Structures are given as structure tokens and as C-alpha cells.
Amino acid sequence: MLACPAEDIDDAVQRADRAAASVANPAGYDFQAQWLGDRIVNPEHVRRNYGRLASLSAGDAAHSAPVTPSGRQLVLPRLVTGYLKEQREWRRSCREWNAYDQAVAKWHRNRSSRIAEPVAPLVPDIRDKRPKALRAFLLGDPGAGKSTTLRSAVHELNELLVADEADWTDVVKLSAPTGCASFHMAHGATTIHRLFAIRVGQVGDDPLPAESRQFAALCERLGPELGLLIFDEFSMIQRRMMRWVVKRLEEADINLDDIGVVLVGDPAQILPIGDSPVWSLRQRMDDGKDCCEASRLGMLAFREVFRMPALETVDGFAAWSHAASREPNTLSDAERRAVARFRAAALDGDYETVYLNEVRRTVQNDELADHFTKVIIPSFRYGRATHASLQWLRDNTATAEHMAADPLWAGAVTLHGNHWFSELAVNRATVESDNARALVRFANERDTPVMAVNAQHLPTKKAARLQKVSPREFRSIPAVFFACSGLPLMLLENVAPSVGLFNGAHVEFVGPLYLEDDWQVTLSSCEYRERVRTSGVTLTTPLDTPASDRERMYQVPVGSVIVKVNGHTVDGDEHRLDELVAASSTVQLVFHTPKHPPHLPEFIVVRVPNYTENRGPNILGIEDADDLVPIRMVKRARDKGKNNRAIGGGEESRTEFRVGPPLEGGSAFTGFKGQGATLDRVVAKVKAWVETPGFWTVVVSRVRHPHHLHIPTDQWPTVEEIQVQRLNPDVLEAEIFERQMKINAAKTWRHFVAAEDDGQWSSADNVIGDAVHVAWRRLHTRDVASIVCDELHAKGVDVSVSDVQHVIQKMSETDEALILADHIYLTSRQHCCLLRSKIQRGRRRPTATKPSKRPASTSAGRGRRGKGRRIS
């Protein structure tokens, strides 16, 4: 049992080596034997099968179970399957006719050899009729069914391609910015970094050399059968990332006009860190400096992929460019209107959009849950908090009575904004401190011992100093890893996302795995004299391994015993050891390494939910190993910070490393890792982070019912703190982008309804409706029927004014008219920069009591509200 009181755990966090010696690894307790018993683990089997995990793809894992979409969820599956069917028919025709042409040419060259004249294919020659490449967005509020819609589309694509006798994993590629998002996306999805060979830690890299292994693997993944790319959580994709995605496709000789691209996500959730989102038009960063060239190229790549016009050709470009370098409150009304028109028109393009507006992630037949998920959570989008919505949340979230009556609160997850302990805020709750307290509480409640294993540090001469360095400088790898049987953990790297082994996955600690075979290391005699220090035949200092028979084994630990030299047994004789070493210029040493904590094991075994159900392989090779997976130790370079970064920036140029398990406590984590997940019970401690765009929305939307969310009294934000999000230009651009997507989605839905042939819309109606749509977008509000009639006549379409008026009447009864009316109002009357200046003035004078010099009800001039409508 752990004898350390909970209040002393901060000492364990800061001085883990001392804590490990005093409260962990009780004498005589064999953690591995308690778990495995007498079962035998074959070392070769474990290492070989673990190496295959990273190559698991959609074909190796279970396909998503069929789901039943409804309403607007039906649109995306229809779009992608229809496009892929047309695309594959075109490609098949091209191949058959190209083969026919080649056969005809050969026949003409060899007519004297009596080769039979080739027979023309039965399919029509449509080589010059390339189908228009699909470009589509799928958006929606949290819980609106984006994941359900995506799984439905993947299931239909799979059925289509199986019937076509094609491997769907070669035709459709699914990816997301994070491993967590890729796992929730669908089986077989992977990260964008892995799919496109982009280095983690850097958004992009130099072009892949044509002779490199990475280039060969890229071309194998993105082969000639590729027909569709689907990206989830695209709100977190940076502009620089999009640039490198397009560049990798070019390197793999993939023509973007031959493949479809679909983006799925919610622009109101967490945005990218370090760069603007893909849809952003920003030319300058918050500090006033110009965006880097890679970011601007990424913006252009995104616009080209989705067939958006060049910015220079958009109405209002000059006004927008001029306004970018000025304060919003210095713009005239005409300039604001010109900038607003530019922002609205700049996102026009030739693409389809599906917007899901019906929230389905709720508790059935529960009015409180419905109001929470369908009214309260959407009210926080883009920082648009109100006192009423925040007060409702205060009144209805879980209280102490709710938590005491519900046993599920015992396993509640704590969401933080801060991860690491800071000496500048010693009393601040963090992920690190909460996980340490959870370990103590967990061990005491279950009366179970705590295991502690020490990480290895390279080079050996710096080990003592590196032991004291915070995990944050080694990408979260701790100097001492603490755990006890059954403890919730979180995986910190993507191993095999298709079977649930992704960065951010929740797993359960089982025990360490020390494989019983010995370890062979090869040294020169000079290296042996300089680096090997022994007491008898036992190693007294760690030995960094330049060459060994083990992959990813980097250091021979203290206490290892030399059992063989160049194939000869030592038998513990120090003199024989010296003789054998002196007899050869190359020394092959076989070590018997320690098999118990605090020495680092080769693997940490964890239990992964649904791993076996997802057809993950039995890596341990023993019976009753359902959901059990060994996680190998990883080597992480020290990140020395922006002001002290190694030359070149790559991991190969670093000189200090830590080797340890890519795991940390899973009882608490940051809200950034929570995006895309649905949790049973949540304690939110994020007051200091509610200014981060989308962060508050993500945190409160992880649960289905307000009684499943608890916010401590001192962690409640104010309305003004949430509204500060709107000072971020990316938030305002995200809101503009969403409005444009809603406008486009209304048009896409109208065409989908016509395709369903239910009598509401005909093809002729949609031709007129598209023209009306364009007229409304151009801010025409009078004589629209005459304007549309004239434009259609100019295109050779025979319509009458009464026909147009009939379509306008039908459109006025749909969401399309309401969305466009709001667009016309915002574009012609106000601009979002007014709100920016308003909030800035409020931040400078948070307690101002002076009345405004202008009457609030004015309807003219710079502060015009118009018809009593408010900007909120």
C-alpha cells in the first residue's frame, strides 16, 4: 500500500526520484509475476508482432458498423458514392480505350504477321469527359451527427468498392490532424502526418528525396487507385499543413483534378496552434508581422483546391488590403461595407456543403438535456456568451448531491487548461498534479502497491542533470513513471490509431514486461576501455549502445551482468572477462539485464478498450490476452525552446534524450485532447483558458446532460472572459466562414431534394433558384424577378417573370432565404470589426460608468443598428 499522504504528492511530482525510493516498489513484490503468473511470453513473437502494429490499416481492422442516417445526414453519402461511381467508370473507360489504341497501333505496325484486328471496347469513349472532382464540406454543431454521417459514407463507399472488386483502402484515404480524431473518425483512418509523411513537430519538411524509403512508402499509400481524400476535424488544420498536403500529392504524382476532397469539422471548436486555419484570409499575425510564406502558400493551396477565386479578382479587395493595416475604428462606413462584401464573396467557390443543424448527442426524452445540448451549448459558439446562458449552466450543472448519488462520478475525468506545474503558480491545479493525486487516491482505495521505473537519459555523462528536467521538455516523457494495477493512463503517441492506439487514447495499466532473453552489444576494444565500467562482471554505469541486436533499446542499465564475450561464457570470472576482451579488437558482449523495477522494462502492458473487438493482433502470444497490448519505450529528444534550439531544428541534430514509456496519468487531461470525444462525467477546471478560441465550447460539450458536468465554484468564468475570444481575428473569420457554409449548404440541400424526386423542386426550378441565389448574394432586394429573368434570357434559358416569382416564393419558405437575408443585412449594414473595437474599449474600461456620447437608438452614422437589431 502507498504510505504517502495525498497532500505530499506535489513533492512526488517535483522530486520523483526520491518519492520512488520511499513510497513505491515494495520489497519482494514482483509486479510482472503478479500479472502473468507462470505464463510464458516469447520475446521474438512480441517484438515481431509489435513492429507490425504501425502498418495496420482499414483492411486489418473491423469496418464501421452500418448506421442509419436521416435528413441532411443523407446528403454526404450520396455525394461521395455518386462521385466515386462516376469517377471509376471514367477511369475504367480510359484504361480500356487506351489499351485498344495501343493494340490498334501494334496491329498497324505488324499487319504482315497476321495479328487479328483488335475489337473496340463496348464502353463509350469518354476519355475527354473527366468528371468534375468533388469538393465538399461537412459542418455541424457539437453532437449534430458529423461522425454518424461520416461512418455512413464510409460504409456505403466500402460496399460500392467491394461490389466493384476493389480494395477500398487503396481508393479512399481517411485522416485527421490528431490520432484521437482519426480513431473516432472511422476504422482505418490515420493522422495527416503519417499519411503524407510530414514530420511531427514541424508542419512540413523538405521535399522527400526520390530514392528515400519515405518517398517509396508515400507513393505506395497514395497509389494510382486513389480517388477520395476525407479529412476530419479540419478546424485544426493549419494553412501550412494544407500546403504540405498538396505538395506531397504533387510529389506522389497525384492530379488533384482526378480525386475528390472532403473536409469535416466545426469551425467553432478549437483552432490550430501556431498558424491560422485553412479558410483564413489573414495576411498579418497578431503581432503585426506578415504571415510567413508557407502560411500564405497554404492559403492559396486551399483556395485552389476548393476552386475559390483569386483574391485580387474579388470585389472590395483594394478596400480589404488597405484596411488590414489600419485600426477598425478608423474605417468609414463605405470602407466597412466594401470590406464586408469582400469577406463574404472571397469564400465563394465551386464546392458542395452539408450543414447539420439538428443536435442528436443528448439524453432521449429528457427536456433538461435537450435544452442543454440544443440551446445552451450552441449559445457559446464563437464566444457569444450571454448572462442568461451562463446562469442557466450554473443552476443546472452537477452539484455535490448529484455526484454523491451517481457512482459514475468515481471515474470522472478532469479537464484542465494547464498541463505542467509552474513555480510561478504553485497552488494552481494542473493535469500533472491532479494525476499524481489520483494515483495516491487510487492506490490507497484499492490497497495496491505502486510501481516506479526510472527513465534512461542519453548521453550517460549528462544523466544526473537530465533526470531533473521537466517532462514538458521531452514531449511529456516523465523522469520517473508511477503506476499501480488498474490505474487509468493516457497514451502519448500514435502507435496504431485504427485499433485504438492513438495519442490521447485512454487505457488501463496492467504491469511491466521484462522479456527473459539476454541482450547482445557490439563494441570496439577502444570503446570498451573508455565506456564500460564494471565491478567484477556487473555494470556500474549505464552504457549507451552504438550497436546491438535490439531495435529501440538504447542503454544497458546499471546492474546488468556480462555473461558472454565473443561467444565464450564468462561464468562470473572477472579475470576471464579481461582475457576474452584483450584477445580481440571487436568485442561482442551478452548482458543479462535486471528484470524488476526501478529498472526500465522493454514494454508496459496496458488494457485497451475494444482492442480485440477491433481485430487487433494478440501481440503477447498467450491465452486470455483480450485487449492486452504491450507499449514499447520511446526515445524523445529534448526540446530546448525557441531561443535555444539545436541547429537545423530536427531531432537528428539534438544531443540530449530521454527514454521512457509514452504514457501518463489518464484521470486528468487538457481540453485540447478532448475534442471529438464523448465522456461520461467531466470536472472542468478551465477558467484561465476560456479566452482560447473554441476551448470553452469543447469542454462543456463533452457530455450529454448538464448533470454530467461539474465546475468547481472557483472555476466559473465570467461572460466577459468568454467573450474575449472574439478579439481573435481567426474567430471572426471562422464565423464568417460558417455563415458562407450555411448559405452554400442551403443551395446543396435544395439540389439534393430535387434529386430525391419528391416533387418539391424540379431541375428547372433549381436553375431559376441558383440565379435567384446569386442575385440575393449580390445584395439585390428589389426587382429580383426581372433581374433574374433578364440574366437567364441572356444565357438562352426561356423563363417568364411569373416562373421566377413562383420560385422566389418557394425559396422564401426555406432556410436559404433566412440565411441570405441575414447575410444581406450583415454585409450592407455592419461589419464584424465594429464588435472588435467595442470589446477592446470594454477591456480598457471594464468598470466604466460614463454614458455613451451617442444615443443607443441612433439609426444613422457609424453606430447604426437598423430596425432595432443588436450585434451580440
Side-chain angles (χ1 to χ4, degrees):
M1 178 177 178
L2 188 63
C4 174
E7 57 269 17
D8 293 338
I9 197 63
D10 284 333
D11 183 69
V13 172
Q14 296 302 305
R15 292 180 289 276
D17 50 348
R18 183 191 306 174
S22 60
V23 303
N25 300 335
Y29 192 90
D30 190 334
F31 290 91
Q32 183 168 332
Q34 290 293 324
W35 162 60
L36 277 179
D38 297 329
R39 291 183 287 183
I40 298 175
V41 177
N42 186 318
E44 183 180 350
H45 176 89
V46 173
R47 296 190 187 105
R48 182 177 64 251
N49 283 278
Y50 188 84
R52 294 174 179 171
L53 268 181
S55 63
L56 288 180
S57 65
D60 301 311
H63 295 307
S64 300
V67 295
T68 306
S70 60
R72 296 178 187 267
Q73 293 180 340
L74 296 167
V75 182
L76 185 71
R78 183 67 55 84
L79 285 174
V80 294
T81 53
Y83 167 70
L84 208 57
K85 187 181 300 182
E86 184 180 1
Q87 179 209 64
R88 291 186 63 78
E89 184 65 31
W90 175 76
R91 288 187 178 183
R92 181 163 50 247
S93 174
C94 290
R95 285 194 296 267
E96 293 184 16
W97 278 96
N98 288 339
Y100 171 72
D101 288 344
Q102 293 173 6
V104 169
K106 183 177 179 181
W107 179 75
H108 281 295
R109 289 194 304 268
N110 301 279
R111 272 188 285 186
S112 59
S113 60
R114 298 181 180 180
I115 297 177
E117 182 177 358
V119 179
L122 296 177
V123 297
D125 189 352
I126 57 174
R127 284 174 291 185
D128 296 331
K129 300 178 181 178
R130 181 200 308 266
K132 187 171 75 173
L134 175 68
R135 299 291 183 263
F137 292 94
L138 172 64
L139 293 88
D141 297 350
K146 296 187 294 294
S147 298
T148 301
T149 303
L150 188 56
R151 285 196 295 271
S152 173
V154 170
H155 181 73
E156 291 194 19
L157 288 170
N158 178 42
E159 289 190 335
L160 169 68
L161 294 169
V162 167
D164 202 21
E165 298 182 353
D167 186 346
W168 81 280
T169 62
D170 294 335
V171 181
V172 182
K173 297 296 182 182
L174 313 173
S175 65
T178 66
C180 178
S182 69
F183 176 73
H184 291 292
M185 182 181 186
H187 289 302
T190 185
T191 62
I192 296 175
H193 289 89
R194 177 171 291 181
L195 179 61
F196 294 98
I198 300 173
R199 179 182 298 171
V200 177
Q202 299 183 97
V203 182
D205 199 354
D206 294 333
L208 294 176
E211 65 278 1
S212 66
R213 288 187 305 168
Q214 292 88 346
F215 180 78
L218 176 72
C219 293
E220 183 179 354
R221 289 193 298 270
L222 306 178
E225 290 296 313
L226 178 64
L228 185 65
L229 288 172
I230 303 179
F231 299 91
D232 198 8
E233 298 294 354
F234 79 95
S235 68
M236 294 192 289
I237 299 178
Q238 307 175 17
R239 297 196 304 195
R240 287 180 292 172
M241 176 76 80
M242 178 57 70
R243 177 215 175 190
W244 280 101
V245 166
V246 173
K247 193 172 184 64
R248 289 290 189 258
L249 288 169
E250 292 173 351
E251 291 175 2
D253 200 24
I254 300 295
N255 187 348
L256 276 164
D257 291 334
D258 288 342
I259 63 173
V261 180
V262 179
L263 299 185
V264 182
D266 179 5
Q269 297 192 43
I270 296 174
L271 301 180
I273 297 174
D275 195 10
S276 294
V278 291
W279 62 76
S280 173
L281 305 177
R282 292 180 65 186
Q283 302 291 318
R284 291 177 179 271
M285 302 302 292
D286 294 335
D287 57 6
K289 297 180 180 178
D290 290 341
C291 295
C292 67
E293 182 181 4
S295 179
R296 292 196 297 272
L297 291 174
M299 175 188 67
L300 297 177
F302 168 77
R303 297 183 62 80
E304 184 176 352
V305 169
F306 282 87
R307 301 187 283 256
M308 296 179 181
L311 293 178
E312 297 81 2
T313 64
V314 179
D315 179 32
F317 172 76
W320 173 76
S321 300
H322 183 59
S325 59
R326 296 170 55 189
E327 288 295 323
N329 55 6
T330 65
L331 301 178
S332 67
D333 285 345
E335 289 174 319
R336 288 194 183 95
R337 286 194 292 271
V339 170
R341 285 197 303 273
F342 169 82
R343 286 186 176 277
L347 293 171
D348 284 340
D350 187 8
Y351 53 83
E352 304 290 346
T353 306
V354 181
Y355 193 93
L356 307 178
N357 51 13
E358 182 182 351
V359 176
R360 298 167 185 254
R361 185 167 63 197
T362 184
V363 178
Q364 296 295 329
N365 303 319
D366 190 310
E367 293 183 2
L368 196 65
D370 280 348
H371 189 74
F372 171 65
T373 56
K374 298 178 181 180
V375 178
I376 299 302
I377 292 176
S379 72
F380 292 119
R381 292 170 66 82
Y382 304 111
R384 290 182 176 274
T386 64
H387 291 283
S389 61
L390 195 62
Q391 186 59 47
W392 188 96
L393 205 60
R394 278 180 174 271
D395 295 340
N396 291 281
T397 48
T399 62
E401 291 76 14
H402 291 131
M403 299 170 73
D406 186 352
L408 288 178
W409 278 103
V413 169
T414 303
L415 294 183
H416 285 276
N418 300 294
H419 194 294
W420 303 109
F421 171 84
S422 172
E423 294 182 355
L424 300 177
V426 294
N427 296 320
R428 182 180 67 189
T430 63
V431 169
E432 189 179 22
S433 62
D434 264 16
N435 277 328
R437 291 186 176 92
L439 169 67
V440 174
R441 184 173 61 253
F442 194 90
N444 284 331
E445 289 175 355
R446 291 160 179 79
D447 194 21
T448 181
V450 171
M451 182 197 77
V453 294
N454 296 321
Q456 297 175 348
H457 294 88
L458 287 76
T460 299
K461 61 183 180 181
K462 298 182 180 181
R465 177 168 59 83
L466 295 177
Q467 180 78 17
K468 302 175 183 178
V469 175
S470 168
R472 69 190 305 173
E473 295 191 32
F474 290 100
R475 287 169 53 187
S476 300
I477 303 300
V480 181
F481 173 72
F482 293 95
C484 60
S485 180
L487 182 72
L489 297 176
M490 177 180 286
L491 186 61
L492 299 177
E493 73 165 2
N494 293 316
V495 178
S498 63
V499 291
L501 297 172
F502 55 85
N503 184 1
H506 291 269
V507 299
E508 178 185 311
F509 176 77
V510 176
L513 179 59
Y514 298 88
L515 297 178
E516 292 300 324
D517 56 341
D518 294 328
W519 186 2
Q520 180 177 296
V521 177
T522 303
L523 302 168
S524 67
S525 57
C526 180
E527 289 175 329
Y528 180 88
R529 289 191 299 271
E530 291 178 353
R531 298 168 56 188
V532 178
R533 299 290 180 268
T534 60
S535 175
V537 295
T538 303
L539 207 61
T540 57
T541 60
L543 174 62
D544 298 343
T545 57
S548 73
D549 64 340
R550 302 282 178 83
E551 182 187 6
R552 298 191 182 184
M553 296 293 282
Y554 307 102
Q555 190 178 79
V556 184
V558 172
S560 299
V561 178
I562 301 175
V563 295
K564 287 184 180 180
V565 178
N566 293 334
H568 301 285
T569 304
V570 176
D571 291 331
D573 188 342
E574 182 179 3
H575 299 293
R576 179 167 173 76
L577 171 64
D578 294 337
E579 293 175 358
L580 293 171
V581 169
S584 177
S585 60
T586 300
V587 183
Q588 285 188 344
L589 302 174
V590 176
F591 289 93
H592 185 73
T593 56
K595 310 295 184 185
H596 55 80
H599 298 286
L600 196 68
E602 191 167 346
F603 296 92
I604 294 291
V605 178
V606 297
R607 180 171 283 105
V608 182
N610 302 320
Y611 171 81
T612 303
E613 181 182 338
N614 291 336
R615 298 185 187 177
N618 185 343
I619 299 173
L620 296 176
I622 60 177
E623 296 181 358
D624 303 325
D626 288 354
D627 296 340
L628 296 185
V629 184
I631 302 298
R632 177 177 277 162
M633 303 300 106
V634 296
K635 178 183 177 183
R636 292 286 182 260
R638 183 181 181 185
D639 185 356
K640 297 184 178 181
K642 295 181 179 179
N643 298 325
N644 192 25
R645 194 175 295 277
I647 297 174
E651 187 156 323
E652 67 279 354
S653 63
R654 308 295 175 87
T655 58
E656 299 173 348
F657 300 89
R658 177 175 288 174
V659 181
L663 297 162
E664 69 176 8
S667 300
F669 54 93
T670 65
F672 296 99
K673 288 186 178 292
Q675 181 160 326
T678 301
L679 305 173
D680 290 328
R681 301 294 183 273
V682 169
V683 177
K685 300 180 180 180
V686 297
K687 176 180 171 64
W689 286 77
V690 296
E691 298 180 6
T692 303
F695 193 82
W696 176 251
T697 301
V698 168
V699 169
V700 299
S701 62
R702 295 310 92 201
V703 295
R704 297 182 174 89
H705 197 287
H707 291 170
H708 300 167
L709 174 67
H710 173 68
I711 302 176
T713 304
D714 61 339
Q715 291 295 318
W716 278 99
T718 64
V719 171
E720 290 73 17
E721 287 172 334
I722 299 174
Q723 288 179 340
V724 167
Q725 293 179 36
R726 299 186 62 73
L727 293 177
N728 188 317
D730 285 335
V731 172
L732 300 182
E733 291 207 336
E735 194 171 14
I736 295 170
F737 174 75
E738 182 180 284
R739 190 173 78 234
Q740 171 65 29
M741 293 300 103
K742 286 182 177 179
I743 292 171
N744 241 48
K747 180 179 175 181
T748 299
W749 174 247
R750 173 161 46 81
H751 281 266
F752 174 78
V753 171
E756 290 295 282
D757 194 25
D758 61 358
Q760 294 183 16
W761 289 89
S762 66
S763 299
D765 287 344
N766 270 321
V767 170
I768 300 173
D770 291 344
V772 173
H773 182 103
V774 171
W776 281 347
R777 290 293 307 278
R778 292 174 181 170
L779 311 184
H780 295 303
T781 56
R782 296 181 180 178
D783 300 325
V784 175
S786 300
I787 293 172
V788 169
C789 196
D790 292 341
E791 289 184 352
L792 291 178
H793 284 162
K795 295 179 180 180
V797 180
D798 185 17
V799 295
S800 64
V801 173
S802 60
D803 293 334
V804 177
Q805 290 175 338
H806 175 68
V807 171
I808 292 175
Q809 178 61 34
K810 290 174 64 175
M811 293 180 68
S812 66
E813 299 171 358
T814 66
D815 293 340
E816 187 171 4
L818 298 176
I819 295 168
L820 283 167
D822 186 54
H823 161 74
I824 292 171
Y825 170 77
L826 291 173
T827 305
S828 59
R829 297 295 186 189
Q830 296 286 354
H831 182 47
C832 54
C833 62
L834 282 176
L835 179 62
R836 178 181 173 87
S837 60
K838 176 183 177 182
I839 297 179
Q840 284 176 330
R841 290 196 300 271
R843 290 190 84 188
R844 289 195 294 267
R845 301 191 302 273
T847 58
T849 57
K850 292 183 179 181
S852 172
K853 294 181 180 180
R854 272 188 319 208
S857 59
T858 182
S859 59
R862 185 173 297 175
R864 181 176 181 179
R865 295 179 183 270
K867 298 184 180 180
R869 296 187 65 165
R870 298 180 58 190
I871 295 183
S872 58

